[in-house]
Amino acid sequence: MIEIKKVESKKQLAAFVDFPHELYRGDKNYVPELHIAQRDILTPGKHPFHNHSSMQLFLAYKNGVLTGRIAAILNNNHNKFNNVSEGFFGFYDLYNDPEVSKKLLNEAEKWLVAYGATKMIGPVNPSTNETAGLLVEGFDSPAVAMMTYNKPYYLDLLTAEGFTKNIDLLAYDLPTNVVDKKSIKLKELLAQRLKDRNITVRNINLKNFDTEVKNILKVYNAAWQENTGFVPMTDDEFRYLAKDLKLILDKDFAFVAEYEGKAIGFALAIPDINQVLIKIKNGRLLPTGIFKLLFGKKKIDYVRVIALGVNKEYRRVGIEAFFYSEIIQRAMDKKIKGGEASWILENNEMMNNGLLKMNARVYKRYRILEKAI
């Protein structure tokens, strides 16, 4: 007997957050999310996503045993920005059971249809501005910071319920020992070209963090707006994300490009904190997890290029290439073994071609799926 229950209590929410720990027990590539971060993103009043949108969490029980979870998500900002009536699903985790999958997806679909949704898209947790995509290639290593991980059978379960590909998101691996050194050699030439155009590139100023965040948000919402699946971030959402990232930020990997003092582009690579989180049992910082986090940060030897964008009118003048050359040079200086550039839309020719020229290779592929409802 399969029973689907709405999450309506703190106890059920804790069960929802903790379920993956049991599901992935023994999987050496599973990285537990921090419990407090997952709890907050799912709780109205804690995360700014809930200020404009809503979600309903569901748990699946089979013969009284918790066997799966899902979130039905109504992103009002997405629908307004794109003039559509779409719904989303996320936090989709379960044992390999087609009946449980069917019932979870049906329950999420019913909830979305009641709000007028005509399409169901996912997984996103809870939007493309957070973690997104179903891992479909690259199960042989842990996900890096703020990237998803799932069982290989998830794709089969979703396909069986009528979901088809919307778009793929690519993750590139770029070890520092194989990177095309041409990008480094051209750095001075690129710097002069930018200077001739009154464009400067500098590190982010952590002492003026609030102002920096405000300016970078403008670039983010302008530079990414034509990307498939994009939805603008609100001031509150961006500040929330920036506050979290500041805890692990290395300013040597955070850059702002300016034209006559106005921000026109930015790039950010973050230390792969998952190298530490993978050792923190069940995502709990207390009693010992906090020490693993504090001391483990110093041993991280991999980064993730999480964002790199330039306003449309300033593209193709060398800013993107200069960003990458700076990140690569500093990674080498710090004895970092490499980095992941992710995620990159499969139809973003400029970014994909640029990475391939640097000898990066696609080593993980994530998929956004959709289904008419």
Side-chain angles (χ1 to χ4, degrees), residues 239-253:
R239 280 197 299 268
Y240 187 98
L241 176 61
K243 183 181 176 183
D244 280 353
L245 290 177
K246 190 178 181 182
L247 297 174
I248 59 171
L249 193 67
D250 181 341
K251 67 178 181 63
D252 287 342
F253 289 113

Side-chain angles (χ1 to χ4, degrees), residues 11-250:
K11 184 178 180 180
Q12 288 174 313
L13 178 60
F16 188 97
V17 172
D18 285 337
F19 172 69
H21 306 323
E22 186 61 38
L23 175 66
Y24 293 98
R25 193 171 303 282
D27 187 332
K28 62 182 176 61
N29 293 324
Y30 168 65
V31 181
E33 297 275 9
L34 283 179
H35 181 87
I36 188 170
Q38 283 287 280
R39 183 199 66 197
D40 285 358
I41 204 169
L42 296 167
T43 305
K46 292 283 188 178
H47 191 281
F49 177 83
H50 300 274
N51 295 343
H52 59 77
S53 297
S54 58
M55 67 176 87
Q56 177 60 59
L57 312 181
F58 298 95
L59 293 168
Y61 292 85
K62 186 170 186 177
N63 299 324
V65 177
L66 181 58
T67 54
R69 68 175 193 171
I70 198 171
I73 302 158
L74 188 69
N75 189 331
N76 293 317
N77 279 6
H78 166 87
N79 286 337
K80 183 179 179 181
F81 180 75
N82 294 288
N83 194 28
V84 292
S85 55
E86 297 172 342
F88 294 86
F89 73 94
F91 304 95
Y92 172 80
D93 285 291
L94 71 165
Y95 292 102
N96 193 2
D97 189 321
E99 282 303 307
V100 170
S101 178
K102 177 188 284 290
K103 287 186 177 294
L104 279 170
L105 290 164
N106 284 349
E107 206 64 38
E109 180 179 322
K110 281 194 296 184
W111 189 87
L112 290 170
V113 167
Y115 284 94
T118 56
K119 185 183 285 187
M120 189 169 166
I121 304 171
V124 295
N125 310 312
S127 79
T128 53
N129 289 321
E130 283 84 22
T131 58
L134 185 79
L135 181 65
V136 295
E137 292 177 15
F139 295 92
D140 56 345
S141 61
V144 301
M146 299 176 69
M147 293 296 285
T148 62
Y149 180 75
N150 53 262
K151 298 285 191 179
Y153 59 76
Y154 282 27
L155 181 60
D156 292 334
L157 291 176
L158 288 165
T159 301
E161 292 306 311
F163 283 87
T164 57
K165 175 182 168 180
N166 174 291
I167 196 166
D168 279 0
L169 319 172
L170 308 179
Y172 286 84
D173 178 41
L174 185 57
T176 49
N177 65 348
V178 304
V179 67
D180 184 354
K181 300 303 188 292
K182 189 188 297 181
S183 60
I184 302 298
K185 293 175 183 176
L186 290 175
K187 193 174 75 165
E188 295 307 316
L189 185 64
L190 287 169
Q192 186 59 51
R193 182 198 292 180
L194 297 180
K195 184 179 179 181
D196 291 343
R197 289 171 167 79
N198 292 326
I199 295 171
T200 57
V201 176
R202 60 172 177 80
N203 283 114
I204 191 171
N205 183 356
L206 292 178
K207 293 181 179 178
N208 196 21
F209 191 69
D210 290 345
T211 300
E212 295 278 50
V213 167
K214 188 183 298 183
N215 292 332
I216 290 172
L217 172 59
K218 292 176 184 176
V219 176
Y220 177 83
N221 282 339
W224 272 263
Q225 64 177 321
E226 295 179 357
N227 287 355
T228 304
F230 172 76
V231 57
M233 293 188 81
T234 66
D235 290 353
D236 287 343
E237 285 176 308
F238 202 73
R239 280 197 299 268
Y240 187 98
L241 176 61
K243 183 181 176 183
D244 280 353
L245 290 177
K246 190 178 181 182
L247 297 174
I248 59 171
L249 193 67
D250 181 341

